[in-house]
Amino acid sequence: MEPALVGTRLASAALTPLLKRLLVREGSGAALTDKPVRLAGLVSFRGEKRTLTEKDVRTLAGTLVQESLARPGEPPFPADETEAVADALARTLLALGDLEMDDVQAVRQGHRELAQRLRATTAARRAAEGLSADATLYLDSVSEWACLHILQFFTQRSSFVARTLVEQSRTQAELIAKLDELILRVPRADARDVAFERRYLAYTGKKHGSLTIYGIDLRDSPETLPLDVAYLSLEATDDGSGHDDRTTRTARSPRTARAQEQTAPVGSRARVGPPKEPPREAEPLEELPEETAPPIRADRALADRHRVLLRGVAGSGKTTLVQWLALATTRQDPDERMAHLHDRIPFVLPLRTLTRHGERLPAPDRFLTAVGCPLAPPDGWADRVLTAGRGLILVDGIDEIPEAERDRTRRWLRDLLATYDGGNRWLVTSRPSAVRDDWLTSDGFTELTLSPMNRAAVATFVDRWHQAAGPDAAPHRQPLLDALRTKQDLARLATNPLMCGLICALHRDRRGFLPRGRKALYEAALSMLLTRRDRERDMGTPSGVDLPEAPQIQLIQRLAYWLTLNGRTEMDRSRAETLVLGAIPAVPEAAAAGDPQAVFAHLLQRSGLLREPSPGAVDFVHRTFQDHLAAKAIVDEWHIGVLTRHAADDQWEDVIRMSVAHARPRECAEIFTELLAAADSAQDRAVRLRILVVAAAAMEEATEIAPDIREALLSRTAQVIPPHNRSEARELAAAGPLVLDLLPGPEDAADDNAARMTVTTASYITSDAAIPFLARYARHPSLPVRAQLVWAWDRYPTERYAAEVIAAIDPAGLHFTIRSEEQATALREIGGREALHFQGDLPEDLIADTVRACSPGFIRISGNTSLRDLRCLRDAPTTLALELNRSPALSDLSAPAGCRISDLTLDDRQLAAVTVPPPVTRLRLELRDGQQSLARVPELFPDVETLTLVRIWTPVEDVALAPLTALAKLRSLDIITTDGTFTGLDSLPPQVRVTVDEMA
């Protein structure tokens, strides 16, 4: 029913005066005011001088409804709903006093939008629940009709026209200023740039839009898959070295001197007063575990961060992620989750290619040429893109260049960052141990680590692999999933996409019979790629060369050895050809195969192990195969001195492990003896730890090891236990489950820090064998120790870890994070958890059921894109501390009936999303974004008495405190910061007590 028709039924001339009673009368001499006239100040049922009570408004609404029913014609809704409709209409009209807008804004929105805003308030929405379709339609129409008249009343006020002119003038001036700034910041688009970018993005989409998954390139299978089909999003964790989330490695030092200047570092201007603890006593800032940030989707790493250093082991998907991000920029209709990459120009810069000849790293105008892109951009194009902040710079493979060149690479990066700071996004990838933990931290990089694939991710990968491999592979899917669940040694290998792909391929290829151990798995994969690829595809000998597996390996391992020895992962084709041609005479079967040039061409084109990533370059399809074959070459030629000289080099870690796997027992003993000697002679603790860990990890690959050698290795490793810091813990955990026998139990840990480092080490060992060890620390009195146990839950089977560890943990002071339905179910069965953190897109019912079962006094909801209100907390305790962040649709924060929010924590993005705030007196704001404004705080939370501002992330702009002067009830302001600057502190009223904790 249209508003005009409703107005006909309601006889506007008679009932318009009734609606006019909702508004205050305009006094004489209405003057022009600089301040907006809020709707709450225009309605007659709010304020000290109100002329209508809530009862009067309900009577008015009832009159409107009765009049419409009394008119001739068919009733607009059933008569038995009259009272419910009148109540819903009254609540809708009363909501006029709650909207955060002024009269000009209301008129600008229009009567339909205003009515929609009124009906969306919590009280109006709840009153309308259960109405019939006819009654709901009537309510929609009559509220629009009422808003139409109310807006007409606004425009007839004498001050409205004058205020509108002022508003228009201000808006126009602001628009002109913003356009001037935009013109200065963004160069005029050149038609040639636009045309080139269209071609370049199309080229990028083709170059990076497909992915080879090992083992599906056999009969009737494509050699590559579209990346959209094959890509599997993995998780990454923030180890606390960046700037994006809470830090736990800092100490708080209160500053109490008050300065007189208006703009100064905040730590120098605090008023005298003791520092106050954060309101969330269950999670004191200085006692969080080492690893506090929840896992994030790796492809979303740049959504909230401009600079990321991403670490991951070989085969973990770093390069595939780079491809995926580049591909995401080419889409015309990007996924909402990848919207942060819209209108960005990707520059994919593999360092192995840029440094192949040892030449100087390129400036932006040579980015495309250096990576072999055939397109020629307009002069100055790359500079214009980066100056405008539109670039996505993807620097892949710090670990794939020699250690001596890494500092040069960092200087190159810093020069680029200094020149093109702006809004560009930067991603740098590396193996975990290639550079130290803080290698790029001072340059504003957040350091993330790709997590090993959990069981759910492995199952998803297996499903996708078998779908891509075609119907013939389908019968092998479930047996493989069963094997991964029941065979611990196999599950330990399936931790990254490369190994999962090889396992899937070999499982199908061998009809369910898989080799055991890493070496056997690699050798089986080599056999499949070298000899079965062309045979299974019925291709005969397309290169004219028929060469068995063994001589192919003999020749290719020469290339692997040269690359590894020279710290490279890519070489010139001419050098590769020279190495192969020089080795052919010593390999009889290769020498008898015919033309040496044809043999080299066969290895390059048909072996499945080598490729040409760009014209004139050769590399291995994956670094893992290079390491495996280099190790075989070293053992074959017994160059043991090479191993010991590079024992502390991160590029040689897998080479050493594979050398032990290739070696015979006597040779293994000699390798271990030499490694122990190298460790003993090392003066630096970090070097000694690295060598011992590599040696200990290599023991898993040995077919036989003498007891005295094993005992010597374990005793030396025990000397560096417990680790001193998280970096050492991660290094030590790389040795695998055998480290668990060396770590001290809770009764033997020297102090709380030693206990925390012990638990951190064990939690990095993603083997089920770690669960019983971690369970021993469940009752430890130290909060950081127990917090680390909670954060490790994602790394292990949910039910078993919950039963053995989570259920046994002393919950005092802990936040229990829930990221899945399985974890929620486990916690509901355990019950009685005081603080819960619901992380990710968890459904409303799941949250509600868990809150009902656990009855927590503190709840945090983060990263939920579907929640719109807090109905999921309807069964929460009567008093609740609440934290909300990164949930953009969560705008209605009104507390459910019977629940009072005593403490509220928001980040600045959540603050911007709020439309219906709860009444709170204690508020905590976490300021993360570069442009941070407190202007909405007084509007949304006028009753705040205690306010805490946290700014421990990379500051970009000053934070102005002047808006806080409008908080009439504010008595305490606590500021927690690192090096941020706050302005306007002296403008606060004298009754506001300010303390500043500047974190070192």
Side-chain angles (χ1 to χ4, degrees), residues 758-996:
T758 296
V759 169
T760 301
T761 302
S763 66
Y764 277 127
I765 301 172
T766 54
S767 164
D768 288 4
I771 297 178
F773 180 87
L774 293 170
R776 295 169 60 190
Y777 277 87
R779 307 303 295 181
H780 198 280
S782 170
L783 178 62
V785 170
R786 289 179 284 118
Q788 185 66 33
L789 294 175
V790 173
W791 279 102
W793 193 1
D794 276 345
R795 300 169 183 169
Y796 303 98
T798 301
E799 293 183 5
R800 180 182 175 188
Y801 195 85
E804 297 185 29
V805 181
I806 298 297
I809 289 178
D810 176 5
L814 289 177
H815 290 183
F816 290 83
T817 300
I818 299 171
R819 301 188 184 97
S820 67
E821 183 176 351
E822 293 77 12
Q823 289 181 335
T825 300
L827 275 184
R828 286 199 296 270
E829 293 176 355
I830 296 171
R833 291 299 180 261
E834 177 60 24
L836 297 181
H837 174 195
F838 296 94
Q839 201 267 331
D841 280 317
L842 299 173
E844 177 181 320
D845 290 345
L846 180 149
I847 298 175
D849 292 344
T850 309
V851 169
R852 184 183 308 113
C854 296
S855 190
F858 173 89
I859 293 175
R860 179 185 179 192
I861 298 175
S862 67
N864 194 312
T865 60
S866 58
L867 284 184
R868 299 183 178 277
D869 55 41
L870 297 177
R871 282 180 292 182
C872 59
L873 305 183
R874 53 187 174 270
D875 294 315
T878 55
T879 301
L880 179 68
L882 182 64
E883 178 176 349
L884 306 169
N885 53 55
R886 291 176 288 176
S887 301
L890 185 51
S891 58
D892 183 353
L893 305 190
S894 53
C899 177
R900 180 180 70 86
I901 298 176
S902 61
D903 296 82
L904 179 64
T905 299
L906 307 173
D907 66 0
D908 37 18
R909 293 192 178 187
Q910 199 65 50
L911 177 67
V914 175
T915 59
V916 183
V920 294
T921 59
R922 295 171 63 87
L923 178 66
R924 174 186 173 106
L925 296 178
E926 298 182 345
L927 308 177
R928 300 167 181 264
D929 285 349
Q931 297 180 348
Q932 299 157 340
S933 172
L934 303 177
R936 299 196 73 211
V937 174
E939 300 175 11
L940 296 174
F941 305 103
D943 298 326
V944 164
E945 298 174 5
T946 300
L947 176 63
T948 301
L949 302 179
V950 182
R951 196 192 197 200
I952 56 177
W953 299 271
T954 303
V956 178
E957 295 186 1
D958 295 348
V959 178
L961 299 177
L964 302 184
T965 58
L967 290 172
K969 300 181 180 180
L970 184 64
R971 293 296 179 268
S972 176
L973 174 63
D974 301 330
I975 297 174
I976 301 172
T977 185
T978 47
D979 55 357
T981 300
F982 291 72
T983 63
L985 183 60
D986 291 336
S987 65
L988 296 176
Q991 66 268 25
V992 179
R993 184 176 183 177
V994 180
T995 59
V996 177

Side-chain angles (χ1 to χ4, degrees), residues 44 103 111 174 186 291 420 568 589 611 727 779 834 917:
S44 59
D103 51 353
H111 67 280
E174 290 175 1
V186 182
E291 196 173 345
Y420 303 107
R568 304 288 180 186
E589 288 180 278
R611 64 177 183 176
S727 179
R779 307 303 295 181
E834 177 60 24

Side-chain angles (χ1 to χ4, degrees), residues 726-750:
R726 186 185 65 259
S727 179
E728 288 190 3
R730 186 169 55 229
E731 189 93 56
L732 192 59
L738 64 88
V739 172
L740 296 170
D741 294 331
L742 306 178
L743 293 172
E747 64 282 353
D748 298 321

Side-chain angles (χ1 to χ4, degrees), residues 365-447:
D365 61 346
R366 292 188 55 251
F367 277 176
L368 302 193
T369 304
V371 297
C373 176
L375 301 178
D379 289 343
W381 167 76
D383 176 74
R384 289 191 291 275
V385 167
L386 297 176
T387 300
R390 297 174 56 223
L392 174 64
I393 300 91
L394 305 168
V395 181
D396 188 27
I398 290 289
D399 58 286
E400 295 182 354
I401 58 176
E403 188 171 1
E405 296 183 12
R406 293 173 191 171
D407 281 340
R408 177 169 68 96
T409 301
R410 181 168 54 177
R411 289 194 298 272
W412 169 71
L413 264 174
R414 285 175 170 169
D415 287 344
L416 291 173
L417 291 166
T419 307
Y420 303 107
D421 191 8
N424 297 301
R425 296 290 202 274
W426 306 76
L427 177 73
V428 179
T429 72
S430 172
R431 287 194 184 185
S433 55
V435 291
R436 66 176 187 269
D437 274 357
D438 58 350
W439 197 63
L440 288 174
T441 301
S442 62
D443 300 295
F445 278 75
T446 297
E447 296 194 6

